[in-house]
Amino acid sequence: MEGMEGRLEDGVCYRLHLAGEPRPSGETSQQRLEQILALLASPCGNYIWHNEPFNLTHVPARGEVPAHIGGVTNFGDNVDDEWFIVYLIQRVSKEFPDLVASIEDNDGEFLLIEAAEYLPKWLNPETSTNRVFFYHGKLHIIPLPQNPGEVSWLPVSNPTLPQALSLLATHSEKCLAAGPIREAVDKRIHSFPGKIRDNQHQAYCYVPAGIAAVLKHRPDLLAPAVQAFYLRDPIDLNACRIFKIFQPDTRVMTLVTFTKCLYAQLQQQRFIPDRRSGYTLPAQSDKHFKAHELGMKLAHGFEILCSKSSQPVAKTESGISTQSNPHWKGFLSSLTKSDYFKGELEGSAHYRELLRTAEIYFQQSVVKPESSSAFNPGENILHLLQTLCYSAEELKKEEDNLPPEDDNSWLVISPEELDHMLEEASGKKLLNSVSPEERYDLQEVTESMKAFVSKVSTHEGAELPWSSSASQVQFDVNTFTSALEKILSVESDDCDSDDIDDDDDFFDAESYTDERMQEGEPSTTETLENLRDYMKQMDLELASTNIGKSFTKVTEETGSDRSKTIVEAGNESETESERNVETHPVDVDLNLVQNLLQSYSSQTGLAGPASNILQSMGVRLPDNQEN
């Protein structure tokens, strides 16, 4: 997609366009940008971005894409960052009714992937270009024309971006996405901004005093430090053989706020520090072992960042220069108008805290990380160490008044919790959540498989019968054979002559057969005779093998209690099996179910063809309880 080329795989691109033609007004595009940033200051101010922050800038017109406000964020391993950005973009489109928002990642229109179960059949990656937008806070999908009257205002092919923006401005109600599609997307973002706190984890860390002081002023610097440790290489660790910046003898206990993703990355990695580093750990039985281990890992991350940086540049107290940015004053004015400071008096402690947060957020959101030294985390850390006034003794005194840390039991997920998470994601009951009577039905298994096999596939793949009970596909062999022979003008032995109406408008089979014979081609009668001879020859060849013994036959037992026969089929004696081969026809349904169960059992709980096909059709088999 345009704007995503050259980006890392986990990147999301977002754009804000004016709906329809640009309208003259006294408001400049820069003022609009400042208003948008002020709107998002509260949810974004203390947000810890995993990799790159949300950012907006002016993008000039290029080709058919008009000038707009947009940005690109690489969210790395934390997909919650991507959905938080979806929430931000949706909120902007709601608060600014004249703006149309689009958002894509390397998978394309990933919002449609979330609602794939409810999409119309015509909507696919090829037909979704310039069709999916947020407008007035709601998801819109520009449809295809369904009748001649709609062709006058709906393009048959993919619309251009200007066409799409004009359509939304003039026919927004007709472009509103279906309710289930909107609900599927809203389900992922409705918990924001409250989910921000739910995604955080506070833990005790025994770290050098300098790190504790830096994180108090710049909690966002935690993410690059964790990433530096998590992605370390042998060259990085050379800087940690002997610590030059964060000596271990200055360590204090502090409470650090992580995102759950960052905490898991730091906690789950086993690491033994170099003996020369001076970092030692207590016994694992020590109640503060985890805090010592986390602090040691954080210290390595911070040391690696500083080792890669030159001496710090002149910046403000927050570590970022905002006064030199010509748009800072306008942004600050927009913050005041949006009540960002909540009535706090200018100069008060809370006001200064909010102002420092706003400075960090402004620089992150306006200037792209790769284009500014302000986003070099190592330089920011070095500068803060030189400018901050902190005392290791004072920090030690605070240890006794630290709030309790969060429980990290969420790192371990029980099978029941996993089932609950999957239920919430799919909206369907799982096998373990229903009673044994509701779990499966052998008749449903056979009918679903028959329906699947009877479906006609295309170059796009097979169409799965999601609900076999709602629309069962029946196949009558006799009717099929009779119809085939009627087409070939050859009646079968058991075909009723009344089935063919003399007035039916069929082609003249006799003349057609004569023409084929004149051309030297075999007649239809000869073709059927050859087919019968071929089948007889096949039967003779198979008669000398034991393949017939591998099938279960129709018996009185299978007619009365098929489920019981499935269980006991494997225990059937060879003598009885041989007798069935000779006296009874093959029970097709019974063999189908038996083979499916054997295939499912051989998967040993893993994904496989049997479970994948049946679950796609809404049939779920029980776990094998024999082991």
Coordinates of all heavy atoms in Angstrom, one line a residue, residues 368-450:
K368 N 8.7 12.9 13.4 CA 9.0 11.5 13.1 C 10.2 11.0 13.9 O 11.2 11.7 13.9 CB 9.1 11.2 11.6 CG 7.8 11.3 10.9 CD 7.9 10.9 9.5 CE 6.6 11.0 8.7 NZ 6.7 10.6 7.3
P369 N 10.2 9.8 14.5 CA 11.4 9.4 15.3 C 12.7 9.4 14.6 O 13.7 9.8 15.1 CB 10.9 8.0 15.8 CG 9.4 8.0 15.7 CD 9.1 8.9 14.6
E370 N 12.7 8.9 13.3 CA 13.9 8.8 12.6 C 14.5 10.1 12.1 O 15.7 10.1 11.7 CB 13.7 7.8 11.4 CG 12.8 8.4 10.3 CD 11.4 8.0 10.6 OE1 11.0 7.6 11.7 OE2 10.6 8.0 9.6
S371 N 13.7 11.2 12.3 CA 14.2 12.5 11.7 C 14.7 13.4 12.8 O 15.0 14.6 12.6 CB 13.1 13.1 10.9 OG 12.0 13.4 11.7
S372 N 14.7 13.0 14.1 CA 15.0 13.9 15.2 C 15.9 13.2 16.2 O 15.6 12.1 16.6 CB 13.7 14.4 15.8 OG 14.1 15.1 17.0
S373 N 17.0 13.9 16.6 CA 17.8 13.4 17.7 C 17.1 13.4 19.0 O 17.6 12.7 19.9 CB 19.1 14.2 17.8 OG 18.8 15.6 18.1
A374 N 16.0 14.1 19.1 CA 15.3 14.1 20.3 C 14.7 12.7 20.7 O 14.4 12.4 21.8 CB 14.1 15.1 20.3
F375 N 14.7 11.8 19.7 CA 14.2 10.5 19.9 C 15.3 9.5 20.0 O 15.0 8.3 20.0 CB 13.2 10.1 18.8 CG 11.8 10.6 18.9 CD1 11.5 11.9 18.4 CD2 10.9 10.0 19.7 CE1 10.3 12.4 18.5 CE2 9.6 10.5 19.8 CZ 9.3 11.7 19.3
N376 N 16.5 9.9 20.2 CA 17.6 9.0 20.5 C 17.5 8.8 22.0 O 17.8 9.7 22.8 CB 18.9 9.7 20.2 CG 20.1 8.7 20.4 OD1 20.2 8.1 21.4 ND2 21.0 8.6 19.4
P377 N 17.0 7.6 22.5 CA 16.8 7.4 23.9 C 18.0 7.5 24.7 O 18.0 8.0 25.9 CB 16.2 6.0 23.9 CG 16.6 5.4 22.7 CD 16.7 6.4 21.7
G378 N 19.2 7.1 24.2 CA 20.4 7.1 24.9 C 20.8 8.6 25.2 O 21.2 8.9 26.4
E379 N 20.7 9.5 24.3 CA 21.0 10.9 24.5 C 20.1 11.5 25.5 O 20.5 12.3 26.3 CB 21.0 11.6 23.2 CG 22.1 11.2 22.2 CD 22.0 12.1 20.9 OE1 21.2 13.0 20.9 OE2 22.8 11.8 20.0
N380 N 18.8 11.1 25.4 CA 17.9 11.7 26.4 C 18.2 11.2 27.8 O 18.1 12.0 28.8 CB 16.4 11.2 26.1 CG 15.8 12.1 25.0 OD1 15.2 13.1 25.3 ND2 16.0 11.6 23.7
I381 N 18.6 9.9 28.0 CA 19.0 9.4 29.3 C 20.2 10.1 29.8 O 20.2 10.6 31.0 CB 19.2 7.9 29.2 CG1 17.9 7.2 28.9 CG2 19.8 7.4 30.5 CD1 18.1 5.7 28.5
L382 N 21.2 10.3 29.0 CA 22.4 11.0 29.4 C 22.2 12.4 29.8 O 22.7 12.9 30.8 CB 23.5 10.9 28.3 CG 24.1 9.6 28.0 CD1 25.0 9.6 26.8 CD2 24.9 9.0 29.2
H383 N 21.3 13.1 29.1 CA 21.0 14.5 29.4 C 20.2 14.6 30.7 O 20.5 15.4 31.6 CB 20.1 15.1 28.3 CG 19.7 16.5 28.6 ND1 20.5 17.6 28.5 CD2 18.5 17.0 29.1 CE1 19.8 18.7 28.9 NE2 18.6 18.3 29.2
L384 N 19.3 13.7 30.9 CA 18.5 13.7 32.2 C 19.4 13.4 33.4 O 19.2 14.0 34.5 CB 17.4 12.6 32.1 CG 16.2 13.0 31.2 CD1 15.3 11.8 31.0 CD2 15.4 14.2 31.8
L385 N 20.4 12.5 33.2 CA 21.3 12.2 34.3 C 22.1 13.4 34.7 O 22.5 13.6 35.9 CB 22.2 11.1 33.9 CG 21.6 9.7 33.8 CD1 22.6 8.7 33.3 CD2 21.0 9.2 35.1
Q386 N 22.3 14.3 33.8 CA 23.1 15.5 34.0 C 22.3 16.7 34.6 O 22.8 17.5 35.4 CB 23.8 16.0 32.8 CG 24.9 15.1 32.3 CD 25.6 15.7 31.1 OE1 25.3 16.8 30.6 NE2 26.6 15.0 30.5
T387 N 21.0 16.7 34.3 CA 20.1 17.8 34.7 C 19.2 17.6 35.9 O 18.8 18.5 36.5 CB 19.3 18.3 33.5 OG1 18.5 17.2 33.0 CG2 20.2 18.7 32.3
L388 N 18.9 16.3 36.1 CA 18.0 16.0 37.2 C 18.7 16.1 38.5 O 19.8 15.7 38.7 CB 17.4 14.6 37.0 CG 16.4 14.4 35.9 CD1 15.9 12.9 35.8 CD2 15.2 15.3 36.0
C389 N 18.0 16.6 39.5 CA 18.5 16.6 40.9 C 17.8 15.5 41.6 O 16.6 15.5 41.9 CB 18.1 18.0 41.5 SG 18.9 19.4 40.7
Y390 N 18.6 14.5 42.0 CA 18.1 13.4 42.7 C 19.1 12.9 43.7 O 20.3 13.1 43.5 CB 17.7 12.2 41.7 CG 18.8 11.6 41.0 CD1 19.5 10.5 41.5 CD2 19.3 12.1 39.8 CE1 20.5 9.9 40.8 CE2 20.3 11.6 39.1 CZ 20.9 10.5 39.6 OH 22.0 9.9 39.0
S391 N 18.7 12.2 44.7 CA 19.6 11.7 45.7 C 19.2 10.2 46.0 O 18.1 9.8 46.2 CB 19.4 12.5 47.0 OG 20.0 11.9 48.1
A392 N 20.3 9.4 45.9 CA 20.1 8.0 46.2 C 19.5 7.7 47.6 O 18.7 6.9 47.8 CB 21.4 7.2 46.0
E393 N 20.0 8.6 48.6 CA 19.5 8.4 50.0 C 18.0 8.7 50.0 O 17.2 8.0 50.7 CB 20.3 9.4 50.9 CG 21.7 9.0 51.1 CD 22.6 9.2 49.9 OE1 22.2 10.0 49.0 OE2 23.7 8.7 49.9
E394 N 17.5 9.8 49.3 CA 16.1 10.1 49.3 C 15.3 9.0 48.7 O 14.2 8.7 49.2 CB 15.9 11.5 48.6 CG 16.4 12.7 49.4 CD 15.8 12.9 50.7 OE1 14.5 12.6 50.8 OE2 16.4 13.3 51.6
L395 N 15.8 8.5 47.6 CA 15.1 7.4 46.9 C 15.0 6.2 47.8 O 14.0 5.4 47.8 CB 15.8 7.1 45.6 CG 15.7 8.1 44.5 CD1 16.6 7.8 43.3 CD2 14.2 8.3 44.1
K396 N 16.0 5.9 48.6 CA 16.0 4.8 49.5 C 14.9 5.0 50.6 O 14.3 4.0 51.0 CB 17.4 4.6 50.2 CG 18.4 3.8 49.3 CD 19.6 3.5 50.1 CE 20.6 2.7 49.2 NZ 20.0 1.3 49.0
K397 N 14.8 6.2 51.0 CA 13.7 6.5 52.1 C 12.3 6.2 51.5 O 11.4 5.9 52.3 CB 13.8 7.9 52.5 CG 15.1 8.3 53.3 CD 15.1 9.7 53.7 CE 16.4 10.1 54.4 NZ 16.5 11.5 54.8
E398 N 12.2 6.3 50.2 CA 10.8 6.1 49.6 C 10.5 4.6 49.5 O 9.3 4.3 49.3 CB 10.8 6.7 48.2 CG 10.9 8.3 48.2 CD 10.9 8.8 46.8 OE1 10.7 8.1 45.9 OE2 11.1 10.1 46.7
E399 N 11.5 3.8 49.7 CA 11.2 2.3 49.6 C 10.1 1.8 50.5 O 9.3 0.9 50.2 CB 12.5 1.5 49.8 CG 13.6 1.8 48.8 CD 14.8 0.9 49.0 OE1 14.9 0.2 50.1 OE2 15.8 1.1 48.2
D400 N 10.1 2.4 51.7 CA 9.1 1.9 52.7 C 7.7 2.3 52.4 O 6.7 1.8 52.9 CB 9.5 2.4 54.1 CG 10.8 1.8 54.6 OD1 11.2 0.7 54.1 OD2 11.5 2.5 55.4
N401 N 7.5 3.3 51.5 CA 6.2 3.8 51.2 C 5.7 3.5 49.8 O 4.8 4.1 49.3 CB 6.2 5.4 51.4 CG 6.5 5.8 52.8 OD1 6.0 5.2 53.8 ND2 7.3 6.8 52.9
L402 N 6.4 2.5 49.2 CA 6.0 2.2 47.8 C 4.6 1.4 47.8 O 4.3 0.6 48.7 CB 7.0 1.2 47.2 CG 8.4 1.8 46.9 CD1 9.4 0.8 46.4 CD2 8.3 3.0 45.9
P403 N 3.8 1.7 46.8 CA 2.5 1.0 46.7 C 2.8 -0.5 46.4 O 3.9 -0.8 45.9 CB 1.8 1.7 45.5 CG 2.5 3.0 45.4 CD 3.9 2.8 45.8
P404 N 1.8 -1.3 46.7 CA 2.0 -2.8 46.4 C 2.2 -3.0 44.9 O 1.5 -2.3 44.1 CB 0.8 -3.4 46.9 CG -0.2 -2.4 47.0 CD 0.5 -1.1 47.3
E405 N 3.0 -4.0 44.5 CA 3.1 -4.3 43.1 C 1.9 -5.2 42.6 O 1.2 -5.7 43.4 CB 4.4 -5.0 42.8 CG 4.6 -6.4 43.5 CD 5.9 -7.0 43.1 OE1 6.6 -6.6 42.2 OE2 6.2 -8.1 43.8
D406 N 1.7 -5.3 41.3 CA 0.6 -6.0 40.8 C 1.0 -7.5 40.8 O 2.1 -7.9 40.7 CB 0.3 -5.6 39.3 CG -0.2 -4.2 39.2 OD1 -0.8 -3.7 40.3 OD2 0.0 -3.5 38.2
D407 N -0.1 -8.3 40.9 CA 0.1 -9.8 40.8 C 0.4 -10.2 39.3 O -0.3 -9.7 38.4 CB -1.2 -10.4 41.2 CG -1.2 -12.0 41.2 OD1 0.0 -12.5 41.1 OD2 -2.2 -12.6 41.3
N408 N 1.4 -11.0 39.2 CA 1.8 -11.4 37.8 C 1.3 -12.8 37.4 O 1.8 -13.5 36.5 CB 3.3 -11.4 37.6 CG 4.0 -12.4 38.5 OD1 3.4 -13.0 39.3 ND2 5.3 -12.5 38.3
S409 N 0.2 -13.3 38.1 CA -0.4 -14.6 37.8 C -0.9 -14.6 36.4 O -1.2 -15.7 35.9 CB -1.4 -15.0 38.8 OG -2.5 -14.0 38.8
W410 N -1.2 -13.5 35.8 CA -1.7 -13.4 34.4 C -0.7 -14.0 33.4 O -1.1 -14.4 32.3 CB -2.1 -12.0 34.0 CG -1.0 -11.0 34.1 CD1 -0.7 -10.2 35.2 CD2 0.0 -10.7 33.2 NE1 0.4 -9.5 35.0 CE2 0.9 -9.7 33.7 CE3 0.3 -11.2 31.9 CZ2 2.0 -9.2 33.0 CZ3 1.4 -10.7 31.2 CH2 2.2 -9.7 31.8
L411 N 0.5 -14.2 33.8 CA 1.5 -14.8 32.9 C 1.2 -16.2 32.6 O 1.6 -16.8 31.6 CB 2.9 -14.6 33.4 CG 3.6 -13.2 33.3 CD1 4.9 -13.2 34.1 CD2 3.8 -12.9 31.9
V412 N 0.5 -16.9 33.6 CA 0.2 -18.3 33.4 C -1.3 -18.4 33.1 O -2.1 -18.0 33.9 CB 0.6 -19.1 34.7 CG1 0.2 -20.6 34.6 CG2 2.0 -18.9 35.1
I413 N -1.6 -19.0 32.0 CA -3.0 -19.1 31.6 C -3.4 -20.6 31.7 O -2.8 -21.5 31.2 CB -3.2 -18.7 30.1 CG1 -2.7 -17.2 30.0 CG2 -4.6 -18.8 29.7 CD1 -2.8 -16.7 28.6
S414 N -4.5 -20.8 32.5 CA -5.0 -22.2 32.6 C -5.8 -22.6 31.4 O -6.2 -21.7 30.6 CB -5.9 -22.2 33.9 OG -7.1 -21.4 33.7
P415 N -6.0 -23.9 31.2 CA -6.8 -24.3 30.0 C -8.2 -23.7 30.0 O -8.8 -23.3 29.0 CB -6.9 -25.8 30.2 CG -5.7 -26.2 31.0 CD -5.5 -25.0 31.9
E416 N -8.8 -23.5 31.2 CA -10.2 -22.9 31.3 C -10.1 -21.5 30.9 O -11.0 -21.0 30.2 CB -10.7 -23.0 32.7 CG -11.0 -24.5 33.2 CD -9.8 -25.2 33.5 OE1 -8.7 -24.6 33.7 OE2 -9.8 -26.5 33.5
E417 N -9.1 -20.7 31.3 CA -9.0 -19.3 30.9 C -8.7 -19.2 29.4 O -9.2 -18.3 28.8 CB -7.8 -18.7 31.7 CG -8.1 -18.5 33.2 CD -6.9 -18.0 33.9 OE1 -5.8 -18.4 33.5 OE2 -7.1 -17.3 34.9
L418 N -7.9 -20.1 28.8 CA -7.7 -20.1 27.4 C -9.0 -20.4 26.6 O -9.3 -19.7 25.6 CB -6.7 -21.2 27.0 CG -6.3 -21.3 25.5 CD1 -5.8 -20.0 25.0 CD2 -5.3 -22.4 25.3
D419 N -9.8 -21.3 27.1 CA -11.1 -21.6 26.5 C -12.0 -20.3 26.5 O -12.7 -20.0 25.6 CB -11.8 -22.7 27.2 CG -11.2 -24.1 26.8 OD1 -10.4 -24.1 25.8 OD2 -11.5 -25.1 27.5
H420 N -12.0 -19.6 27.7 CA -12.8 -18.4 27.8 C -12.3 -17.4 26.9 O -13.1 -16.7 26.3 CB -12.7 -17.9 29.3 CG -13.5 -16.7 29.5 ND1 -14.9 -16.7 29.5 CD2 -13.1 -15.4 29.8 CE1 -15.3 -15.5 29.7 NE2 -14.3 -14.7 29.9
M421 N -11.0 -17.2 26.7 CA -10.5 -16.2 25.8 C -10.9 -16.5 24.4 O -11.2 -15.7 23.6 CB -8.9 -16.1 25.9 CG -8.5 -15.6 27.3 SD -6.7 -15.8 27.6 CE -6.0 -14.9 26.2
L422 N -10.8 -17.8 24.0 CA -11.2 -18.2 22.7 C -12.7 -18.0 22.4 O -13.1 -17.7 21.3 CB -10.8 -19.7 22.4 CG -9.3 -20.0 22.4 CD1 -9.0 -21.5 22.3 CD2 -8.6 -19.2 21.2
E423 N -13.5 -18.3 23.5 CA -14.9 -18.1 23.3 C -15.2 -16.6 23.1 O -16.0 -16.2 22.2 CB -15.6 -18.5 24.6 CG -15.7 -20.0 24.8 CD -16.4 -20.4 26.0 OE1 -17.0 -19.5 26.7 OE2 -16.4 -21.5 26.4
E424 N -14.5 -15.7 23.8 CA -14.7 -14.3 23.6 C -14.3 -13.8 22.2 O -14.9 -13.0 21.6 CB -14.0 -13.5 24.7 CG -14.6 -13.6 26.1 CD -13.9 -12.7 27.1 OE1 -12.7 -12.3 26.8 OE2 -14.4 -12.4 28.1
A425 N -13.2 -14.4 21.7 CA -12.7 -14.0 20.4 C -13.6 -14.5 19.3 O -13.8 -13.8 18.3 CB -11.3 -14.6 20.2
S426 N -14.2 -15.7 19.5 CA -15.0 -16.3 18.4 C -16.5 -16.1 18.5 O -17.2 -16.2 17.6 CB -14.7 -17.9 18.3 OG -15.1 -18.5 19.5
G427 N -16.9 -15.8 19.8 CA -18.3 -15.7 20.0 C -19.1 -17.0 20.0 O -20.3 -17.0 19.9
K428 N -18.4 -18.1 20.1 CA -19.0 -19.4 20.0 C -18.6 -20.2 21.2 O -17.5 -20.1 21.8 CB -18.7 -20.2 18.7 CG -19.0 -19.4 17.5 CD -18.6 -20.2 16.3 CE -18.9 -19.5 15.0 NZ -18.4 -20.2 13.8
K429 N -19.5 -21.1 21.6 CA -19.2 -22.0 22.7 C -18.1 -23.1 22.3 O -18.2 -23.6 21.2 CB -20.4 -22.8 23.2 CG -21.3 -21.9 24.2 CD -22.4 -22.8 24.8 CE -23.2 -22.1 25.8 NZ -24.2 -22.9 26.5
L430 N -17.2 -23.3 23.1 CA -16.2 -24.3 22.8 C -16.7 -25.7 23.3 O -17.6 -25.8 24.1 CB -14.8 -24.0 23.5 CG -14.2 -22.7 23.0 CD1 -12.9 -22.5 23.7 CD2 -14.0 -22.7 21.5
L431 N -16.0 -26.7 22.9 CA -16.4 -28.1 23.2 C -16.4 -28.4 24.7 O -17.4 -29.0 25.2 CB -15.4 -29.1 22.5 CG -15.6 -30.6 22.8 CD1 -17.0 -30.9 22.2 CD2 -14.5 -31.4 22.2
N432 N -15.5 -27.8 25.4 CA -15.4 -28.1 26.9 C -16.5 -27.3 27.6 O -16.6 -27.5 28.8 CB -14.0 -27.8 27.4 CG -13.0 -28.7 26.9 OD1 -13.3 -29.8 26.5 ND2 -11.7 -28.2 26.8
S433 N -17.1 -26.4 27.0 CA -18.1 -25.5 27.6 C -19.5 -26.0 27.5 O -20.4 -25.4 28.1 CB -18.0 -24.1 27.1 OG -16.7 -23.6 27.2
V434 N -19.7 -27.1 26.8 CA -21.1 -27.6 26.6 C -21.2 -29.0 27.2 O -20.2 -29.6 27.5 CB -21.4 -27.6 25.0 CG1 -21.4 -26.3 24.5 CG2 -20.5 -28.5 24.3
S435 N -22.4 -29.4 27.4 CA -22.7 -30.7 28.0 C -22.4 -31.8 27.0 O -22.4 -31.6 25.7 CB -24.1 -30.8 28.4 OG -25.0 -30.7 27.2
P436 N -22.1 -33.0 27.5 CA -21.8 -34.1 26.5 C -22.9 -34.4 25.5 O -22.6 -34.8 24.4 CB -21.6 -35.3 27.5 CG -21.2 -34.7 28.8 CD -22.0 -33.4 28.9
E437 N -24.1 -34.2 25.9 CA -25.2 -34.4 25.0 C -25.2 -33.4 23.8 O -25.7 -33.7 22.7 CB -26.6 -34.3 25.7 CG -26.8 -35.4 26.8 CD -26.0 -35.1 28.0 OE1 -25.5 -34.0 28.2 OE2 -25.9 -36.0 28.9
E438 N -24.6 -32.2 24.0 CA -24.6 -31.2 23.0 C -23.4 -31.3 22.1 O -23.2 -30.5 21.2 CB -24.7 -29.8 23.6 CG -26.0 -29.6 24.4 CD -25.9 -28.2 25.1 OE1 -24.9 -27.9 25.7 OE2 -26.9 -27.5 25.0
R439 N -22.4 -32.1 22.5 CA -21.1 -32.0 21.9 C -21.1 -32.4 20.4 O -20.6 -31.7 19.6 CB -20.1 -32.9 22.6 CG -19.7 -32.2 24.0 CD -18.6 -33.0 24.6 NE -18.2 -32.4 25.9 CZ -17.3 -32.8 26.7 NH1 -16.6 -33.9 26.3 NH2 -16.9 -32.2 27.8
Y440 N -21.7 -33.6 20.1 CA -21.6 -34.0 18.7 C -22.8 -34.9 18.4 O -23.3 -35.6 19.3 CB -20.3 -34.6 18.4 CG -20.1 -36.0 19.0 CD1 -20.1 -37.2 18.3 CD2 -19.8 -36.1 20.4 CE1 -19.9 -38.4 18.9 CE2 -19.7 -37.3 21.0 CZ -19.7 -38.5 20.3 OH -19.5 -39.7 20.8
D441 N -23.0 -35.1 17.1 CA -24.1 -36.0 16.6 C -23.5 -36.7 15.4 O -23.1 -36.0 14.4 CB -25.3 -35.1 16.3 CG -26.4 -36.0 15.8 OD1 -26.3 -37.3 15.8 OD2 -27.5 -35.5 15.4
L442 N -23.5 -38.0 15.4 CA -22.9 -38.7 14.3 C -23.6 -38.4 13.0 O -23.0 -38.4 11.9 CB -23.0 -40.2 14.6 CG -22.1 -40.7 15.8 CD1 -22.2 -42.2 15.9 CD2 -20.7 -40.3 15.6
Q443 N -24.9 -38.3 13.1 CA -25.7 -37.9 11.9 C -25.2 -36.6 11.3 O -25.1 -36.4 10.1 CB -27.2 -37.9 12.1 CG -28.0 -37.7 10.9 CD -28.0 -38.9 10.0 OE1 -27.7 -40.0 10.4 NE2 -28.4 -38.6 8.7
E444 N -24.9 -35.6 12.2 CA -24.4 -34.3 11.8 C -23.1 -34.4 11.1 O -22.8 -33.7 10.2 CB -24.3 -33.4 13.0 CG -23.9 -32.0 12.6 CD -23.8 -31.1 13.9 OE1 -23.9 -31.6 15.0 OE2 -23.5 -29.9 13.7
V445 N -22.2 -35.3 11.6 CA -20.9 -35.5 11.0 C -21.0 -36.0 9.6 O -20.4 -35.5 8.7 CB -20.1 -36.5 11.9 CG1 -18.8 -36.8 11.1 CG2 -19.8 -36.0 13.2
T446 N -21.9 -37.0 9.4 CA -22.0 -37.6 8.0 C -22.6 -36.6 7.1 O -22.2 -36.4 5.9 CB -22.8 -38.9 8.1 OG1 -24.1 -38.6 8.6 CG2 -22.1 -39.9 8.9
E447 N -23.7 -35.9 7.5 CA -24.4 -35.0 6.7 C -23.5 -33.8 6.3 O -23.5 -33.3 5.2 CB -25.7 -34.5 7.3 CG -26.7 -35.6 7.5 CD -27.2 -36.2 6.2 OE1 -27.1 -35.5 5.2 OE2 -27.7 -37.4 6.2
S448 N -22.7 -33.3 7.3 CA -21.8 -32.2 7.0 C -20.8 -32.6 6.0 O -20.5 -31.8 5.1 CB -21.2 -31.7 8.3 OG -22.1 -31.2 9.2
M449 N -20.2 -33.8 6.1 CA -19.2 -34.2 5.2 C -19.8 -34.4 3.8 O -19.2 -34.0 2.8 CB -18.5 -35.5 5.6 CG -17.4 -35.9 4.8 SD -16.1 -34.7 4.6 CE -15.5 -34.6 6.3
K450 N -21.0 -35.0 3.7 CA -21.6 -35.1 2.4 C -21.9 -33.8 1.8 O -21.7 -33.6 0.6 CB -23.0 -35.9 2.6 CG -22.8 -37.4 2.9 CD -24.2 -38.0 3.0 CE -24.1 -39.5 3.3 NZ -25.4 -40.1 3.6

